[in-house]
Tab-separated table of all heavy atoms in Angstrom:
chain	number	residue	atom	x	y	z
B	27	GLY	N	-42.101	10.593	31.855
B	27	GLY	CA	-41.778	10.836	33.244
B	27	GLY	C	-42.852	10.306	34.162
B	27	GLY	O	-44.000	10.105	33.755
B	28	ASN	N	-42.448	10.055	35.389
B	28	ASN	CA	-43.397	9.620	36.405
B	28	ASN	C	-43.495	10.730	37.428
B	28	ASN	O	-42.531	11.034	38.121
B	28	ASN	CB	-42.923	8.311	37.050
B	28	ASN	CG	-43.963	7.746	37.993
B	28	ASN	OD1	-44.118	8.231	39.107
B	28	ASN	ND2	-44.686	6.749	37.542
B	29	ILE	N	-44.656	11.358	37.471
B	29	ILE	CA	-44.868	12.505	38.345
B	29	ILE	C	-45.999	12.174	39.302
B	29	ILE	O	-47.137	11.939	38.868
B	29	ILE	CB	-45.206	13.773	37.535
B	29	ILE	CG1	-44.080	14.078	36.533
B	29	ILE	CG2	-45.448	14.957	38.459
B	29	ILE	CD1	-44.410	15.136	35.522
B	30	GLY	N	-45.659	12.138	40.567
B	30	GLY	CA	-46.672	11.858	41.572
B	30	GLY	C	-47.359	10.515	41.370
B	30	GLY	O	-48.561	10.387	41.623
B	31	GLY	N	-46.611	9.552	40.881
B	31	GLY	CA	-47.200	8.230	40.662
B	31	GLY	C	-47.922	8.080	39.343
B	31	GLY	O	-48.450	7.007	39.048
B	32	LEU	N	-47.935	9.141	38.527
B	32	LEU	CA	-48.575	9.061	37.213
B	32	LEU	C	-47.512	8.984	36.130
B	32	LEU	O	-46.541	9.744	36.147
B	32	LEU	CB	-49.453	10.297	36.960
B	32	LEU	CG	-50.563	10.588	37.960
B	32	LEU	CD1	-51.261	11.895	37.592
B	32	LEU	CD2	-51.569	9.444	37.993
B	33	ASP	N	-47.690	8.076	35.203
B	33	ASP	CA	-46.784	8.003	34.048
B	33	ASP	C	-47.264	9.003	33.005
B	33	ASP	O	-48.392	8.917	32.521
B	33	ASP	CB	-46.807	6.601	33.428
B	33	ASP	CG	-46.065	5.600	34.285
B	33	ASP	OD1	-45.108	6.006	34.965
B	33	ASP	OD2	-46.453	4.419	34.286
B	34	ILE	N	-46.403	9.932	32.660
B	34	ILE	CA	-46.745	10.960	31.691
B	34	ILE	C	-45.917	10.737	30.436
B	34	ILE	O	-44.699	10.557	30.508
B	34	ILE	CB	-46.436	12.376	32.225
B	34	ILE	CG1	-47.018	12.562	33.640
B	34	ILE	CG2	-46.933	13.444	31.262
B	34	ILE	CD1	-48.495	12.689	33.706
B	35	ASN	N	-46.555	10.743	29.301
B	35	ASN	CA	-45.827	10.646	28.033
B	35	ASN	C	-46.331	11.738	27.107
B	35	ASN	O	-47.544	11.873	26.890
B	35	ASN	CB	-46.045	9.269	27.388
B	35	ASN	CG	-45.390	9.180	26.019
B	35	ASN	OD1	-45.983	9.568	25.021
B	35	ASN	ND2	-44.172	8.692	25.979
B	36	LEU	N	-45.405	12.528	26.581
B	36	LEU	CA	-45.744	13.576	25.617
B	36	LEU	C	-44.899	13.376	24.365
B	36	LEU	O	-43.690	13.181	24.440
B	36	LEU	CB	-45.457	14.965	26.206
B	36	LEU	CG	-46.263	15.366	27.434
B	36	LEU	CD1	-45.731	16.674	28.006
B	36	LEU	CD2	-47.744	15.501	27.089
B	37	SER	N	-45.553	13.395	23.233
B	37	SER	CA	-44.822	13.274	21.974
B	37	SER	C	-45.617	14.047	20.927
B	37	SER	O	-46.705	14.568	21.202
B	37	SER	CB	-44.656	11.804	21.574
B	37	SER	OG	-45.907	11.158	21.525
B	38	GLY	N	-45.076	14.117	19.732
B	38	GLY	CA	-45.791	14.899	18.724
B	38	GLY	C	-45.226	14.741	17.333
B	38	GLY	O	-44.260	14.002	17.095
B	39	LEU	N	-45.868	15.444	16.438
B	39	LEU	CA	-45.488	15.421	15.026
B	39	LEU	C	-45.808	16.783	14.432
B	39	LEU	O	-46.877	17.356	14.688
B	39	LEU	CB	-46.291	14.332	14.293
B	39	LEU	CG	-46.323	14.382	12.769
B	39	LEU	CD1	-44.948	14.058	12.195
B	39	LEU	CD2	-47.365	13.401	12.218
Side-chain angles (χ1 to χ4, degrees):
Chain B
N28 187 283
I29 302 169
L32 302 176
D33 286 329
I34 311 288
N35 176 274
L36 297 172
S37 55
L39 164 69

